[in-house]
Amino acid sequence: MIPERVTLVDVGPRDGLQNEKQPVSTAHKVALVQRLQAAGLREIEVTSFVSPKWVPQMGDAVSVMAAIERPPGVRHSVLVPNMKGLEAALPTRPDEVVVFASATEAFSQRNINCSIAESLARFEPVVAAAHAAGLKVRGAISCTVGCPYQGAVTPDEVERVVVGMKAIGVDHCGIADTIGVGTPRAVQAVLERALKHYPLHEVSGHFHDTYGQALANILASLELGLHTFDASIAGLGGCPYAKGATGNVATEDVVFMLHGMGIDTGIDLDALVEAGGFISEVLGREPVSRAGRALLTKRRAAAAAAAVEAA
Amino acid sequence: MIPERVTLVDVGPRDGLQNEKQPVSTAHKVALVQRLQAAGLREIEVTSFVSPKWVPQMGDAVSVMAAIERPPGVRHSVLVPNMKGLEAALPTRPDEVVVFASATEAFSQRNINCSIAESLARFEPVVAAAHAAGLKVRGAISCTVGCPYQGAVTPDEVERVVVGMKAIGVDHCGIADTIGVGTPRAVQAVLERALKHYPLHEVSGHFHDTYGQALANILASLELGLHTFDASIAGLGGCPYAKGATGNVATEDVVFMLHGMGIDTGIDLDALVEAGGFISEVLGREPVSRAGRALLTKRRAAAAAAAVEAA
């Protein structure tokens, strides 16, 4: 049942950096995407066409999309919050666009100031326009296991939004544990609801590691046959709902597990760790990835030993 | 197959503190054990009767054992490296003693300066004497998935040591991933070998979180029916083989997953998080537990909000 091959979508350049307070230059963003591609990532969430008033970090979306290399076989997605965002995104030729909704009314109101139904209604013409432009539409459902405002979330609540996403034509259903409170059985229960409406290859898991549960949740998802997961290089992103806590699961940790299990990802872990080290250095800190930190530490020790030998 | 109840052995006071460079006072150690007991831990690895020349942090083993409360139902174990250690330990009335061996010759030589066979031969009379004193003997096998000196370790190598442990009369077989490189399938393969020689209730998993894999490995172990795991409050211990990296899996993270899965541990997570906060404050740092950090952050925010309300 566990798949032999897994596709990882690195959301570090968008979901990750969007939640980092420190401004990152366009050149560094482009260099990060470049390094992820070189490491073997074939799906990258590059940027977001949101208002720079709300998210200054994503204000260079057009420049980033224009500057990155677009090698064949790599799919670049961008987040669009509305029709205006889609219209700004289209000339930059993304391969996919990402739309989103919350599994809870409380989060929807607090995060985007409208009800779940209103958010889906707003996205309906966006999805249609994206399809008309030949783009795939990926939907992200947040707070599918827990919500910072409501608390616990039921699979029924999530399924209603999955059905709503499908009704407006969204091609792919991403199940996000936005605050990282999910545990294996709870995550499986939610994924089973998504799988009632979308095929296995169009459901993905997006897990946060705030409580250290992300890899266990990915393992539980693999056991349902799921083979697409979001992850964020160096664990970029933090957690906006618990200051100082961990957010997105780190791509390095996921790849370490998958490769250890003999599951193919097409990713070169060494190059990936280097990419994580690069962007962490830009941010002036260590990667929020346990595998990344351990492997960088080993690499530095080996380099230091080699330098002593050479001297 | 997944058990409904899991027993956690908190090894923080011994395995954890032994690998912390900063000296911790006897009073703080006793207070930590007390808090773990109050949080519902029923098995605690308290201290080690090793030479204070080698491990100064454990130099107060007798005082710690004399000072802790010994409520009925709580089992206190101590590590003994040899007969001299056992003789020093016996008057302090531990419930169990822990002996150890490595799965690799390289680690055995570097860590305790003898071969695996020599270490088992040395422990044989220790086990006999412990049994004669009415004590249970727990065996810990290190480096069962990877070794810092040898690299990869095969299940065959581990099974040989399991058989050796059984031959000298060790009652319980702890399978340790000392450097944290294990992933779910590799861990299951090793546990299956241990389960050929010991019953389910006498095999435990001891996983390090150096590469972020510990909870996934515990989940994989639960799927084999395993229901006893070591964990270290606040992730005490670090990793002596990768400076700055994470060591023992944090008890808080394990309990968060188990309770989320509806598995009973008898532990009060709030009290556990408080115990982790206590010893981390003693060490002057944040807990190396993602769940611990997230829950402490939420608690502090709630306390700050309540203070504002009251003012």
Side-chain angles (χ1 to χ4, degrees), chain B residues 147-173:
Chain B
C147 165
Y149 310 116
Q150 170 180 316
V153 176
T154 67
D156 280 349
E157 291 176 284
V158 180
E159 190 174 353
R160 276 199 286 276
V161 184
V162 172
V163 169
M165 283 275 188
K166 178 139 182 161
I168 63 168
V170 168
D171 302 300
H172 178 100
C173 177

Side-chain angles (χ1 to χ4, degrees), chain B residues 21 23 40 53 159 161 173 231 246 255 267 301:
Chain B
K21 283 198 183 122
K53 243 192 302 182
E159 190 174 353
V161 184
C173 177
T246 308
V255 170
I267 294 170

Side-chain angles (χ1 to χ4, degrees), chain A residues 25-35 37 46-47 49 60-71 76 91-93:
Chain A
S25 74
T26 305
H28 281 142
K29 290 174 188 166
V30 171
L32 174 61
V33 171
Q34 178 57 34
R35 279 163 192 259
Q37 292 174 181
V46 176
T47 186
F49 285 86
D60 57 358
V62 170
S63 312
V64 171
M65 284 299 283
I68 58 172
E69 280 181 55
R70 305 291 297 271
H76 296 94
T92 71
R93 299 180 303 103

Side-chain angles (χ1 to χ4, degrees), chain A residues 9-221:
Chain A
V9 183
D10 203 297
V11 300
R14 199 289 297 175
D15 189 24
L17 291 183
Q18 180 162 337
N19 290 303
E20 297 282 348
K21 283 201 183 120
Q22 200 180 324
V24 174
S25 74
T26 305
H28 281 142
K29 290 174 188 166
V30 171
L32 174 61
V33 171
Q34 178 57 34
R35 279 163 192 259
L36 291 173
Q37 292 174 181
L41 262 302
R42 288 296 165 261
E43 302 209 16
I44 301 171
E45 197 175 288
V46 176
T47 186
S48 178
F49 285 86
V50 290
S51 163
K53 243 190 303 178
W54 296 108
V55 188
Q57 184 78 282
M58 296 287 119
D60 57 358
V62 170
S63 312
V64 171
M65 284 299 283
I68 58 172
E69 280 181 55
R70 305 291 297 271
V74 180
R75 297 180 66 81
H76 296 94
S77 58
V78 300
L79 187 124
V80 295
N82 48 37
M83 189 60 91
K84 202 175 152 197
L86 179 71
E87 283 162 359
L90 284 179
T92 71
R93 299 180 303 103
D95 298 292
E96 300 182 6
V97 295
V98 181
V99 301
F100 50 89
S102 166
T104 71
E105 294 292 352
F107 191 83
S108 190
Q109 290 292 354
R110 298 279 280 267
N111 194 41
I112 53 173
N113 202 28
C114 68
S115 72
I116 298 169
E118 283 164 350
S119 72
L120 290 171
R122 273 187 212 169
F123 274 125
E124 187 164 14
V126 177
V127 174
H131 282 162
L135 303 186
K136 178 170 179 175
V137 180
R138 181 184 287 272
I141 306 180
S142 59
C143 297
T144 62
V145 193
C147 166
Y149 310 116
Q150 171 182 312
V153 176
T154 67
D156 280 349
E157 291 176 283
V158 179
E159 189 173 354
R160 276 199 287 276
V161 185
V162 171
V163 169
M165 283 274 188
K166 178 137 182 167
I168 64 167
V170 168
D171 302 299
H172 178 100
C173 177
I175 294 294
D177 178 13
T178 308
I179 57 170
V181 295
T183 45
R185 283 172 170 164
V187 161
Q188 286 181 333
V190 170
L191 289 174
E192 276 162 0
R193 298 303 183 94
L195 290 168
K196 279 172 64 180
H197 305 281
Y198 282 90
L200 256 179
H201 67 280
E202 293 297 5
V203 175
S204 58
H206 176 110
F207 301 117
H208 279 220
D209 213 15
T210 320
Y211 294 81
Q213 309 294 311
L215 286 198
N217 291 335
I218 289 177
L219 178 58
S221 307

